[in-house]
């Protein structure tokens, strides 16, 4: 297994023999590298669906959706995916499952159809362990204890700013979650927990809270923390979802871009409630 870093603080290209990749031989190394680098690009694997599932099982437990589906289609085409509308929320920085007590551990994508040349569709991953680590000490202290409400409504308002009451009710029927702004992980490295699911800062004036979230988002999405993946045929991209945010770069809603996604169950809750 050969590892080349894309940027000092985020992203690595991993060259690996396909049989080794599928066997789980390097599963431990890959997981350690993932938390350190946020995004791992495996070029030239040309994974078929079953191979993606086989690999995913070597590093975690797959989130099944619908009728036991271990892979989802990511596309803007509502004829292929019934959740294409929700997928438009992925144009904004987010973590998967932020509205759950256990956000996903990691997400992986295989390119099936690339976006048309020059039409966008890169995948961006921001390392929020690194952006937290670089905050001044007094800022870190000030963020302790701050909690943020995460809800689907927040994400969907980017896509549809004028929902009907029926739409709003549908969004609000989905789980929402209060998480600390700083996620203290078991392994000891804290990360910032931000993204489009952030609805409001609890116990803070709305305007003040929104400003805080925007300041931190500005900080966390500085170029040095971002890995930008430009897709090629056969690519497989694995990204961390505990100390990283991701988003899709803009591409036309009628694009043929098609991805196969697999998501892994979270293994660590964000918040242990004080009164639990
Ligand atoms: Fe996502």
């Amino acid at each position: 297994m050969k590892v080349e870093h894309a940027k000092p603080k985020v992203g690595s290209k991993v060259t690996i023999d396909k049989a080794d990749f599928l066997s789980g031989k390097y599963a431990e190394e890959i997981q350690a590298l993932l938390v350190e680098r946020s995004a791992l690009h495996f070029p030239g694997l040309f994974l078929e669906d079953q191979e993606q599932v086989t690999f995913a099982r070597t590093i975690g437990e797959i989130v099944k959706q619908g009728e036991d589906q271990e892979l989802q289609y990511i596309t803007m085409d509502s004829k292929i995916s019934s959740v294409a509308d929700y997928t438009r929320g992925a144009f904004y920085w987010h973590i998967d499952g932020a509205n759950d007590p256990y956000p996903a551990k990691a997400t992986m994508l295989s390119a099936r159809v690339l976006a048309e040349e020059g039409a966008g569709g890169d995948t961006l991953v921001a390392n929020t362990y690194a952006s937290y680590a670089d905050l001044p000490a007094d800022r870190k202290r000030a963020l302790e204890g701050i909690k943020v409400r995460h809800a689907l409504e927040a994400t969907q308002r980017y896509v549809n700013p004028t929902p009907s009451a029926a739409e709003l009710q549908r969004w609000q029927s989905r789980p929402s979650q209060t998480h600390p702004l700083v996620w203290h992980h078991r392994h000891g490295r804290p990360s910032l927990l931000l993204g489009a699911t952030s609805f409001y800062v609890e116990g803070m004036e709305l305007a003040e809270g929104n400003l805080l979230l925007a300041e931190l988002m500005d900080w966390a999405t500085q170029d040095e923390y971002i890995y930008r993946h430009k897709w090629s045929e056969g690519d497989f991209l694995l990204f961390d979802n505990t100390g990283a945010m991701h988003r899709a770069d803009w591409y036309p809603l009628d694009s043929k871009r098609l991805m196969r996604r697999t998501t892994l169950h979270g293994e660590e809750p964000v918040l242990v409630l004080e009164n639990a």
Side-chain angles (χ1 to χ4, degrees), residues 97-112:
N99 306 329
D100 303 325
Y102 284 63
K105 169 181 171 172
T107 299
M108 59 201 86
L109 295 172
S110 282
R112 286 287 187 272

Side-chain angles (χ1 to χ4, degrees), residues 59-70:
I59 60 165
E61 189 191 336
I62 296 174
V63 177
K64 291 181 181 169
Q65 289 182 3
E67 296 129 24
D68 287 349
Q69 286 175 12
E70 292 173 305

Side-chain angles (χ1 to χ4, degrees), residues 76 87-94 246-253:
M76 292 302 163
T87 304
R88 286 161 60 195
F91 286 141
Y92 305 92
W93 288 109
H94 66 281
H246 59 275
R247 74 176 186 89
D249 209 358
W250 308 98
Y251 58 95
L253 298 182

